[in-house]
Amino acid sequence: MSIFRFKQTMVALICLITVTGNLFGQSKIIEVWNGKVPGSIQNSNYKQIVDSAYWIKIRFVTNPTIQVYPAPADKNSGAAVVICPGGGYYGLSYIGEGTEVAKWLNGLGISAIVLHYRLPDEAIMKNKSIAPLQDAQEAIRIVRRNAKEWGIDSHKIGIMGFSAGGHLASTVSTHYNEKVYSQIDSTSARPDFSLLIYPVISMDSTITHAGSRENLIGKHPSPEMVRHFSNALQVTATTPPAFMIHSLDDGTVPVENSIEYALAMKKHNIPCELHIYEHGGHGYGLGKRNSGTESSWTKACEKWLQVRGFIGENEASKGGFVKPTELGPDDKPAFIDPPAGFRDKRDVLHGAITTVQYDSKTLSTRREMLVYTPPGYSADKKYPVIYLLHGLNSGAGQWPYWVHADYVIDNLIAEGKIKPAIVVFPNCNTNVTVTNPKPDEQEERKGGYKGYGISFENDLLKDIIPYIESHYSVYTDRKHRALAGLSMGGGQSLNIGLSHINTFAYVGGMSSAPNTNEFGGLSDSKLLPDLEAARKKLILLWLGCGKKDGLISVSQRVHQHLKEKGVSHVWHVDGNAHDDTEWANNLYLFVQNIFK
């Protein structure tokens, strides 16, 4: 190495130390393999360096590491993202696509984990094509194993990649179950979401980045290898949701890479959002130094993460209704917590989730909902139906894609603890239609969220239920129909279910929000318009809330009222907050106590 290059390297290292020390709080570096790198070949001449000849890249990585930047305690959303810097599988752009990105994520309340993965090289590895995948799979597993200790929700762990790092992130998203090394346990390597920034997706020579392809799979790869690592061709129904950006004038990685992946996601009904910008070229990182529209991609990404429920404020954190939690003698668990892994995707038969459009006659518009049909669904059998309502500013996908309600149901059916059922996930905001999929949230707030009120009640009773009963093989009596919801949907479920006891025999409110009639502060309507029917006809009325939930006072008031009126109900208070863990736990318990 020349004296000039040596000085450059030392300056780069000092910059790295300075940036890392000044931008963040305490971070920690962890070896991915703890000294036992799979498939490695010892080579004393192969040493990691910092190359500043073109940008600043780490090269010749022999011992992959993760650097963990915890989210600030006062902002922590529970989400985490493993970051894969780009560099053509030749180097790692560890500042612009690593540490700077970690700082941005920390600002959103997300724990950031920068992965320094091995770069494919036959000099130090037996199979260079799988080495980066091995490192990234294990990085996800490390984060998931340590989730509780690090203040991370194990169901809110995503992966992010730039350029070739985007190829690695999409490879993990589509090959997370591939056995590329001997695992020490059964911890899942599946990301819960992916953020793909001007990513390499395809190995097809007509649209790929030639350097990334050659470095990963060689100069003359077989057609099988090309297909295997062309990740748009590997998308399945279990691939995690994705947020993507790309520029039309990207002369390094053609925009067709992202387009192919987005179309594959659409084909499999997986949530995917792709932003294509007119300008920007390639390699602009967070876009801070750009002045075009591409410089705003971080705002779009933040919004996507909020809408998907991975970050952002929820009803429990908004002012006006939250009161300090004071627990009474009744405020205790009615059941023990579910077993570990109860909402993981297991090796069992799985039901199918389908996006269904229907004509809402009450609203004179066309709307969408998601419908889960159980494994082995047959028109020759009849099934009970569970209607699950989502929370404020979320959507029909909140239950399946965040809470993993379908996995909860799949696992319980496989264990013989419940009978197969159809589950319907409506969109509970009638302002959301096929032609207006994203209403303005500020206008919604000003309007008092009327789309969640009587208009949805009419849509559910007069359009959604009749549609399900005319298009699926289901029972049509009240004893085979359940209604439950979380947060805003919990309030809706109590309001609608207790006003229509002749329609629903099972009603559940989980972390019910201030829209709950009479007891939430937004409405004076009676929660129990027919007290005798509630006493005599309801088979199960379920109230659940976590003691750490700022909205528990709503459910406490409902519980006391039901107790005073002599209406039998389950009152389950556990140790959780206003989050997906609370809702998954309640769903697991609720569905085992219905349709008996």
Side-chain angles (χ1 to χ4, degrees):
M1 179 184 291
S2 68
I3 294 296
F4 177 69
R5 174 60 63 82
F6 175 78
K7 289 181 178 179
Q8 283 185 317
T9 300
M10 292 306 297
V11 169
L13 284 169
I14 291 169
C15 289
L16 172 61
I17 293 168
T18 302
V19 169
T20 302
N22 291 342
L23 295 185
F24 306 100
Q26 293 297 315
S27 66
K28 52 189 171 184
I29 297 176
I30 299 172
E31 290 186 1
V32 172
W33 300 107
N34 197 24
K36 299 178 181 179
V37 183
S40 64
I41 298 174
Q42 294 301 314
N43 188 333
S44 59
N45 296 320
Y46 200 98
K47 302 290 185 181
Q48 180 172 312
I49 67 168
V50 177
D51 183 357
S52 58
Y54 180 71
W55 292 93
I56 300 177
K57 289 183 170 66
I58 292 177
R59 295 189 58 211
F60 307 125
V61 177
T62 57
N63 185 26
T65 61
I66 57 173
Q67 187 152 11
V68 182
Y69 299 96
D74 61 339
K75 286 186 175 182
N76 188 9
S77 65
V81 171
V82 173
I83 304 167
C84 304
Y89 284 127
Y90 171 81
L92 301 177
S93 299
Y94 65 87
I95 295 180
E97 296 174 351
T99 55
E100 287 185 356
V101 179
K103 178 186 178 183
W104 168 65
L105 290 171
N106 277 181
L108 300 181
I110 298 172
S111 294
I113 298 91
V114 180
L115 172 62
H116 290 175
Y117 54 92
R118 285 172 293 164
L119 300 158
D121 195 321
E122 292 170 344
I124 61 162
M125 53 193 67
K126 295 176 183 177
N127 184 348
K128 71 173 187 175
S129 68
I130 64 170
L133 176 59
Q134 290 172 329
D135 297 347
Q137 278 192 2
E138 184 63 14
I140 293 284
R141 290 186 168 112
I142 290 172
V143 176
R144 192 159 273 134
R145 289 188 199 109
N146 291 279
K148 186 174 183 180
E149 179 184 347
W150 294 353
I152 292 168
D153 185 328
S154 63
H155 293 86
K156 295 167 71 173
I157 299 172
I159 192 163
M160 182 179 199
F162 296 76
S163 193
H167 183 266
L168 178 54
S170 64
T171 303
V172 177
S173 298
T174 53
H175 296 72
Y176 61 86
N177 263 339
E178 189 172 324
K179 306 294 183 183
V180 289
Y181 64 93
S182 296
Q183 302 164 214
I184 62 172
D185 57 29
S186 60
T187 302
S188 173
R190 179 186 182 273
D192 295 300
F193 59 93
S194 62
L195 310 175
L196 307 178
I197 314 304
Y198 40 81
V200 178
I201 294 291
S202 178
M203 292 289 108
D204 183 330
S205 60
T206 62
I207 64 170
T208 192
H209 174 244
S212 297
R213 169 177 148 138
E214 181 176 333
N215 288 330
L216 184 68
I217 58 176
K219 288 185 177 181
H220 306 291
S222 67
E224 291 76 20
M225 284 287 282
V226 170
R227 180 176 180 84
H228 187 71
F229 286 103
S230 293
N231 293 325
L233 302 177
Q234 306 304 324
V235 171
T236 69
T238 62
T239 300
F243 172 89
M244 310 176 71
I245 73 158
H246 224 116
S247 294
L248 279 174
D249 65 350
D250 191 327
T252 303
V253 178
V255 69
E256 284 82 359
N257 281 264
S258 288
I259 292 172
E260 283 196 357
Y261 196 81
L263 290 175
M265 298 284 275
K266 179 178 183 292
K267 177 181 177 181
H268 290 276
N269 295 313
I270 302 168
C272 178
E273 186 164 309
L274 169 59
H275 293 253
I276 299 179
Y277 298 102
E278 182 181 2
H279 298 295
H282 188 78
Y284 42 85
L286 295 175
K288 293 179 180 179
R289 299 171 185 85
N290 295 46
S291 58
T293 53
E294 74 282 354
S295 65
S296 66
W297 76 260
T298 54
K299 289 295 183 183
C301 184
E302 178 182 355
K303 185 64 176 178
W304 184 84
L305 289 166
Q306 288 175 343
V307 170
R308 300 297 310 167
F310 294 111
I311 64 169
E313 67 175 1
N314 51 44
E315 293 94 328
S317 64
K318 295 185 174 80
F321 302 102
V322 179
K323 296 185 177 181
T325 301
E326 297 179 5
L327 299 180
D330 290 349
D331 303 336
K332 56 189 178 183
F335 302 89
I336 63 172
D337 283 344
F342 75 98
R343 61 169 172 158
D344 291 344
K345 186 175 184 184
R346 300 179 188 167
D347 187 17
V348 299
L349 294 176
H350 296 281
I353 294 180
T354 306
T355 300
V356 174
Q357 292 192 356
Y358 66 97
D359 290 315
S360 174
K361 298 180 178 62
T362 58
L363 299 171
S364 300
T365 190
R366 193 158 178 81
R367 306 194 72 224
E368 284 187 349
M369 57 184 163
L370 299 178
V371 179
Y372 164 94
T373 49
Y377 170 78
S378 171
D380 296 329
K381 302 177 183 178
K382 288 193 178 296
Y383 300 85
V385 186
I386 306 168
Y387 294 86
L388 291 181
L389 310 187
H390 63 77
L392 178 65
N393 291 334
S394 294
Q398 186 176 24
W399 275 105
Y401 300 131
W402 187 14
V403 181
H404 298 300
D406 52 331
Y407 296 167
V408 174
I409 302 297
D410 288 340
N411 295 338
L412 287 171
I413 292 173
E415 293 169 1
K417 292 182 178 178
I418 64 171
K419 295 179 180 178
I422 286 176
V423 186
V424 180
F425 309 101
N427 193 298
C428 306
N429 179 5
T430 54
N431 290 324
V432 177
T433 67
V434 171
T435 57
N436 185 36
K438 293 182 180 179
D440 184 277
E441 289 182 19
Q442 294 302 319
E443 292 301 317
E444 296 254 295
R445 187 188 293 267
K446 292 177 185 177
Y449 301 107
K450 291 182 181 178
Y452 292 86
I454 189 65
S455 59
F456 174 72
E457 180 174 333
N458 288 333
D459 188 44
L460 175 66
L461 298 174
K462 298 177 182 179
D463 290 302
I464 295 173
I465 292 177
Y467 181 94
I468 295 298
E469 294 182 350
S470 63
H471 288 75
Y472 295 87
S473 182
V474 301
Y475 294 104
T476 57
D477 62 295
R478 63 182 295 275
K479 291 186 178 181
H480 291 90
R481 200 183 290 128
L483 176 67
L486 63 87
S487 195
M488 181 75 94
Q492 287 178 300
S493 295
L494 295 176
N495 297 344
I496 298 170
L498 296 179
S499 295
H500 298 278
I501 294 173
N502 288 330
T503 302
F504 304 100
Y506 314 90
V507 178
M510 304 165 189
S511 308
S512 301
N515 63 319
T516 306
N517 281 349
E518 194 176 354
F519 298 101
L522 291 180
S523 169
D524 294 328
S525 299
K526 293 295 181 183
L527 187 65
L528 293 169
D530 190 339
L531 183 58
E532 286 306 306
R535 288 171 174 165
K536 295 179 180 179
K537 288 187 176 182
L538 278 175
I539 299 178
L540 177 66
L541 175 54
W542 182 282
L543 285 180
C545 199
K547 66 180 182 181
K548 297 177 183 176
D549 192 329
L551 294 179
I552 191 174
S553 60
V554 176
S555 295
Q556 286 173 318
R557 291 194 291 271
V558 174
H559 160 64
Q560 288 300 327
H561 181 69
L562 295 174
K563 187 176 178 181
E564 291 168 6
K565 297 298 183 182
V567 177
S568 178
H569 63 287
V570 169
W571 175 225
H572 179 62
V573 179
D574 58 20
N576 298 308
H578 198 83
D579 55 32
D580 57 306
T581 300
E582 172 69 11
W583 305 322
N585 288 3
N586 274 266
L587 178 67
Y588 175 88
L589 298 169
F590 176 75
V591 296
Q592 292 184 73
N593 287 278
I594 61 178
F595 307 141
K596 296 291 188 181

Coordinates of all heavy atoms in Angstrom, one line a residue, residues 309-355:
G309 N -48.0 0.3 10.4 CA -48.0 0.0 11.8 C -46.7 -0.3 12.5 O -46.7 -0.7 13.6
F310 N -45.6 -0.1 11.8 CA -44.3 -0.4 12.4 C -43.8 0.8 13.3 O -43.0 0.5 14.2 CB -43.3 -0.7 11.3 CG -43.6 -2.0 10.6 CD1 -44.0 -1.9 9.2 CD2 -43.5 -3.2 11.2 CE1 -44.3 -3.1 8.6 CE2 -43.9 -4.4 10.5 CZ -44.3 -4.3 9.2
I311 N -44.2 2.0 13.0 CA -43.8 3.1 13.8 C -44.9 4.1 13.9 O -46.0 3.9 13.3 CB -42.5 3.9 13.2 CG1 -42.9 4.5 11.9 CG2 -41.3 3.0 13.1 CD1 -41.9 5.5 11.3
G312 N -44.7 5.2 14.7 CA -45.7 6.2 14.7 C -46.6 6.2 15.9 O -46.7 5.2 16.6
E313 N -47.3 7.3 16.1 CA -48.2 7.4 17.3 C -49.4 6.6 17.0 O -49.9 6.4 15.9 CB -48.5 8.8 17.6 CG -49.4 9.5 16.5 CD -49.8 10.9 17.0 OE1 -49.4 11.3 18.1 OE2 -50.6 11.5 16.2
N314 N -50.0 6.0 18.1 CA -51.2 5.3 18.0 C -52.2 6.0 18.9 O -51.9 7.0 19.5 CB -51.1 3.9 18.4 CG -50.4 3.7 19.7 OD1 -50.7 4.4 20.7 ND2 -49.4 2.8 19.8
E315 N -53.4 5.5 19.0 CA -54.5 6.2 19.8 C -54.1 6.4 21.2 O -54.4 7.3 21.9 CB -55.8 5.4 19.7 CG -56.4 5.4 18.3 CD -56.0 4.2 17.5 OE1 -54.9 3.7 17.7 OE2 -56.8 3.7 16.7
A316 N -53.3 5.4 21.7 CA -52.9 5.5 23.2 C -52.0 6.6 23.5 O -51.8 7.0 24.6 CB -52.3 4.2 23.6
S317 N -51.3 7.2 22.4 CA -50.3 8.2 22.7 C -50.8 9.6 22.4 O -50.2 10.6 22.6 CB -49.0 8.0 21.9 OG -49.3 8.0 20.5
K318 N -52.0 9.7 21.8 CA -52.6 11.0 21.5 C -53.2 11.6 22.7 O -53.8 10.9 23.6 CB -53.7 10.8 20.4 CG -53.1 10.4 19.1 CD -54.2 10.4 18.0 CE -53.6 10.0 16.7 NZ -53.4 8.6 16.4
G319 N -53.1 12.9 22.9 CA -53.6 13.6 24.0 C -55.1 13.7 24.0 O -55.8 13.5 23.0
G320 N -55.7 14.1 25.2 CA -57.2 14.3 25.2 C -57.9 13.2 25.9 O -58.9 13.5 26.6
F321 N -57.5 12.0 25.8 CA -58.3 10.9 26.4 C -57.5 10.0 27.3 O -58.0 9.2 28.1 CB -58.9 10.0 25.3 CG -59.7 10.8 24.3 CD1 -59.2 11.1 23.1 CD2 -61.0 11.1 24.7 CE1 -60.0 11.8 22.2 CE2 -61.8 11.9 23.8 CZ -61.3 12.2 22.5
V322 N -56.1 10.2 27.3 CA -55.3 9.3 28.0 C -55.3 9.7 29.5 O -55.0 10.9 29.8 CB -53.9 9.3 27.5 CG1 -53.0 8.4 28.3 CG2 -53.9 8.8 26.0
K323 N -55.5 8.8 30.4 CA -55.5 9.0 31.8 C -54.5 8.1 32.5 O -54.2 7.0 32.0 CB -56.8 8.8 32.4 CG -57.9 9.8 31.9 CD -59.2 9.6 32.7 CE -60.2 10.7 32.2 NZ -61.5 10.5 32.9
P324 N -53.9 8.5 33.6 CA -52.9 7.6 34.2 C -53.6 6.3 34.6 O -54.7 6.3 35.0 CB -52.5 8.4 35.5 CG -52.8 9.9 35.2 CD -54.0 9.8 34.2
T325 N -52.8 5.2 34.4 CA -53.4 3.9 34.7 C -53.4 3.7 36.2 O -52.4 3.7 36.9 CB -52.5 2.8 34.0 OG1 -52.5 3.1 32.6 CG2 -53.0 1.4 34.3
E326 N -54.6 3.4 36.7 CA -54.8 3.0 38.1 C -55.5 1.7 38.1 O -56.7 1.6 37.7 CB -55.6 4.1 38.9 CG -54.9 5.4 38.9 CD -55.7 6.5 39.7 OE1 -56.8 6.1 40.2 OE2 -55.3 7.6 39.7
L327 N -54.8 0.7 38.5 CA -55.4 -0.7 38.5 C -56.2 -1.0 39.7 O -55.9 -0.6 40.8 CB -54.3 -1.7 38.4 CG -53.4 -1.6 37.1 CD1 -52.4 -2.7 37.1 CD2 -54.3 -1.7 35.8
G328 N -57.4 -1.6 39.5 CA -58.3 -2.0 40.6 C -58.1 -3.5 40.8 O -57.4 -4.2 40.1
P329 N -58.9 -4.0 41.8 CA -58.7 -5.4 42.2 C -59.2 -6.4 41.1 O -58.8 -7.5 41.0 CB -59.6 -5.5 43.4 CG -60.5 -4.3 43.4 CD -59.8 -3.3 42.7
D330 N -60.1 -5.9 40.2 CA -60.5 -6.7 39.1 C -59.6 -6.7 37.9 O -59.7 -7.6 37.0 CB -61.9 -6.2 38.5 CG -63.0 -6.4 39.5 OD1 -62.8 -7.2 40.5 OD2 -64.1 -5.9 39.3
D331 N -58.6 -5.8 37.9 CA -57.8 -5.6 36.7 C -56.6 -6.6 36.7 O -55.5 -6.2 37.1 CB -57.3 -4.2 36.6 CG -58.4 -3.2 36.6 OD1 -59.5 -3.6 36.2 OD2 -58.2 -2.0 37.0
K332 N -56.8 -7.8 36.3 CA -55.8 -8.8 36.3 C -56.1 -9.8 35.2 O -57.2 -9.8 34.6 CB -55.9 -9.6 37.7 CG -57.2 -10.1 38.1 CD -57.2 -10.7 39.5 CE -58.6 -11.2 39.8 NZ -58.7 -11.6 41.3
P333 N -55.1 -10.7 34.9 CA -55.3 -11.6 33.8 C -56.4 -12.7 34.1 O -56.5 -13.2 35.2 CB -53.9 -12.3 33.7 CG -53.0 -11.4 34.4 CD -53.7 -10.7 35.5
A334 N -57.2 -12.9 33.1 CA -58.2 -14.0 33.2 C -57.6 -15.3 32.7 O -58.1 -16.4 33.1 CB -59.4 -13.7 32.4
F335 N -56.5 -15.3 32.0 CA -55.8 -16.4 31.4 C -54.3 -16.2 31.4 O -53.9 -15.1 31.6 CB -56.3 -16.7 29.9 CG -57.7 -16.8 29.7 CD1 -58.6 -15.7 29.5 CD2 -58.3 -18.1 29.7 CE1 -59.9 -15.9 29.3 CE2 -59.7 -18.3 29.5 CZ -60.5 -17.2 29.3
I336 N -53.6 -17.3 31.4 CA -52.1 -17.2 31.2 C -51.8 -16.8 29.8 O -52.6 -17.0 28.9 CB -51.4 -18.5 31.6 CG1 -51.8 -19.6 30.6 CG2 -51.7 -18.9 33.1 CD1 -51.0 -20.9 30.8
D337 N -50.6 -16.2 29.7 CA -50.1 -15.8 28.3 C -50.0 -17.0 27.4 O -49.8 -18.1 27.8 CB -48.8 -15.1 28.4 CG -48.9 -13.7 28.9 OD1 -50.0 -13.1 28.9 OD2 -47.9 -13.1 29.3
P338 N -50.2 -16.7 26.1 CA -50.0 -17.8 25.1 C -48.6 -18.3 25.1 O -47.7 -17.7 25.6 CB -50.3 -17.1 23.8 CG -51.1 -15.9 24.1 CD -50.6 -15.5 25.4
P339 N -48.4 -19.5 24.6 CA -47.0 -20.1 24.6 C -46.1 -19.4 23.6 O -46.6 -18.7 22.6 CB -47.2 -21.6 24.1 CG -48.5 -21.5 23.4 CD -49.4 -20.5 24.0
A340 N -44.8 -19.5 23.8 CA -43.9 -18.9 22.8 C -44.1 -19.4 21.4 O -44.3 -20.6 21.2 CB -42.4 -19.2 23.3
G341 N -44.0 -18.5 20.4 CA -44.1 -18.9 19.0 C -45.5 -19.2 18.5 O -45.7 -19.7 17.4
F342 N -46.5 -18.8 19.3 CA -47.9 -19.1 18.9 C -48.3 -18.3 17.6 O -49.2 -18.8 17.0 CB -48.8 -18.7 20.1 CG -49.1 -17.3 20.2 CD1 -50.2 -16.7 19.7 CD2 -48.2 -16.5 21.0 CE1 -50.5 -15.3 19.9 CE2 -48.5 -15.1 21.2 CZ -49.6 -14.5 20.6
R343 N -47.6 -17.2 17.3 CA -48.0 -16.5 16.1 C -46.9 -16.6 15.0 O -46.8 -15.8 14.1 CB -48.4 -15.1 16.3 CG -47.4 -14.2 17.0 CD -47.9 -12.8 17.0 NE -47.1 -11.9 17.7 CZ -47.0 -10.6 17.5 NH1 -47.8 -10.0 16.5 NH2 -46.3 -9.8 18.3
D344 N -45.9 -17.5 15.2 CA -44.9 -17.7 14.2 C -45.4 -18.5 13.0 O -46.4 -19.3 13.2 CB -43.7 -18.4 14.8 CG -42.9 -17.5 15.8 OD1 -43.1 -16.3 15.8 OD2 -42.1 -18.1 16.5
K345 N -44.8 -18.3 11.9 CA -45.2 -19.2 10.7 C -44.5 -20.5 10.9 O -43.3 -20.6 10.9 CB -44.8 -18.5 9.4 CG -45.3 -19.3 8.2 CD -45.0 -18.7 6.9 CE -45.6 -19.5 5.8 NZ -45.3 -19.0 4.5
R346 N -45.3 -21.6 11.1 CA -44.8 -22.9 11.3 C -44.9 -23.8 10.1 O -45.6 -23.4 9.1 CB -45.5 -23.5 12.5 CG -45.4 -22.8 13.8 CD -46.1 -23.5 14.9 NE -46.2 -22.7 16.1 CZ -47.0 -23.0 17.1 NH1 -47.8 -24.1 17.0 NH2 -47.0 -22.3 18.2
D347 N -44.4 -25.0 10.2 CA -44.5 -25.9 9.1 C -45.8 -26.7 9.2 O -45.8 -27.9 9.6 CB -43.3 -26.9 9.1 CG -43.2 -27.8 7.9 OD1 -43.9 -27.5 6.9 OD2 -42.5 -28.8 8.0
V348 N -46.9 -26.0 9.0 CA -48.2 -26.6 9.1 C -49.0 -26.2 7.8 O -48.5 -25.3 7.1 CB -49.0 -26.1 10.4 CG1 -48.3 -26.6 11.6 CG2 -49.2 -24.6 10.3
L349 N -50.2 -26.7 7.6 CA -51.0 -26.2 6.5 C -51.4 -24.8 6.8 O -51.8 -24.5 7.9 CB -52.2 -27.2 6.4 CG -51.9 -28.6 5.9 CD1 -53.2 -29.4 5.9 CD2 -51.2 -28.7 4.6
H350 N -51.4 -24.0 5.7 CA -51.8 -22.6 5.9 C -53.0 -22.3 5.1 O -53.3 -22.8 4.0 CB -50.6 -21.7 5.4 CG -49.4 -21.9 6.2 ND1 -49.3 -21.3 7.4 CD2 -48.3 -22.6 6.0 CE1 -48.1 -21.6 8.0 NE2 -47.5 -22.4 7.1
G351 N -53.8 -21.4 5.6 CA -55.0 -20.8 4.9 C -54.5 -19.8 3.9 O -53.3 -19.5 3.8
A352 N -55.5 -19.3 3.1 CA -55.2 -18.4 2.1 C -55.8 -17.0 2.4 O -57.0 -17.0 2.8 CB -55.6 -18.9 0.7
I353 N -55.1 -15.9 2.1 CA -55.7 -14.6 2.2 C -55.9 -14.0 0.9 O -55.0 -13.9 0.1 CB -54.8 -13.7 3.1 CG1 -54.8 -14.2 4.5 CG2 -55.3 -12.2 3.1 CD1 -53.9 -13.4 5.5
T354 N -57.1 -13.6 0.6 CA -57.4 -13.0 -0.7 C -58.0 -11.6 -0.6 O -58.8 -11.3 0.3 CB -58.5 -13.9 -1.4 OG1 -58.1 -15.3 -1.4 CG2 -58.8 -13.5 -2.8
T355 N -57.6 -10.8 -1.5 CA -58.2 -9.4 -1.6 C -59.5 -9.5 -2.4 O -59.5 -10.0 -3.5 CB -57.2 -8.4 -2.3 OG1 -56.0 -8.4 -1.5 CG2 -57.8 -7.1 -2.3

